[in-house]
Amino acid sequence: MEHDFLTIARALHVIAVVFWIGGVAFVTTVLIPAIRSSQSPENRIKIFEALEGKFSFQAKLTTLLTGLTGFYMLYAMDAWSSMQWWVHIMIFIWAIFTMVLFVLEPLFLHRWFHQQAEKNNERTFLVLQVMHIVLLSISLVAVFGGVAGVHGLFY
């Protein structure tokens, strides 16, 4: 029975990561560049907020599900002491996204972004895109490390 829970947790974990990181990839490589190149500075915030707002619930849900299933798997496999480097990166990137989505954005990041966009729209959207590129890159390293690692590439 415990094995079934572990298998279900692993499957849910992969689904959550696909939706979460896939969404981040879409926002990073399609949404932000499209908004930057096709919208006037006055419309950028409005369009970005409308589209990103639709993704916000999905990002929060999938980040939460990723954390719950990931920590459950570590607990169920008693893998805390034998975690490989890619698990540390997974936890690191999960912690960053969790902090941004659940703490920083509601407290001040949303308001700060608007203030910065009013001052210098081009620079603000460039910084937004660069930050997404950095987070996506770290996320992809974690995904690659996790998949390759559990299949023996690093042994």
Side-chain angles (χ1 to χ4, degrees):
M1 182 62 109
E2 188 173 320
H3 175 72
D4 291 341
F5 288 141
L6 188 59
T7 301
I8 291 167
R10 185 173 288 131
L12 289 174
H13 189 76
V14 169
I15 290 169
V17 168
V18 166
F19 268 82
W20 167 29
I21 303 304
V24 173
F26 175 78
V27 169
T28 304
T29 63
V30 177
L31 182 64
I32 295 172
I35 290 172
R36 285 186 68 209
S37 67
S38 69
Q39 296 297 315
S40 66
E42 302 80 37
N43 288 337
R44 284 182 188 147
I45 290 284
K46 187 187 314 178
I47 298 294
F48 180 76
E49 290 286 322
L51 297 173
E52 190 267 344
K54 303 269 186 209
F55 177 60
S56 178
F57 177 75
Q58 175 184 320
K60 288 176 182 170
L61 180 66
T62 56
T63 303
L64 186 61
L65 184 57
T66 298
L68 290 172
T69 55
F71 287 118
Y72 170 76
M73 288 187 294
L74 285 171
Y75 167 78
M77 294 185 296
D78 195 23
W80 295 102
S81 62
S82 62
M83 290 191 313
Q84 300 295 319
W85 64 267
W86 63 83
V87 180
H88 293 278
I89 294 175
M90 288 177 186
I91 293 171
F92 173 72
I93 199 70
W94 173 83
I96 289 173
F97 274 96
T98 299
M99 182 66 74
V100 168
L101 291 171
F102 290 100
V103 179
L104 300 179
E105 189 173 336
L107 287 179
F108 78 90
L109 203 53
H110 187 80
R111 185 174 49 255
W112 178 83
F113 177 72
H114 276 273
Q115 291 169 349
Q116 295 305 308
E118 287 176 12
K119 291 178 191 173
N120 188 338
N121 196 282
E122 282 294 327
R123 183 178 185 283
T124 300
F125 271 85
L126 175 62
V127 169
L128 179 71
Q129 187 172 11
V130 168
M131 293 306 300
H132 275 80
I133 289 168
V134 169
L135 291 172
L136 177 60
S137 299
I138 297 168
S139 299
L140 293 176
V141 169
V143 170
F144 179 86
V147 172
V150 300
H151 289 282
L153 182 65
F154 306 116
Y155 297 112

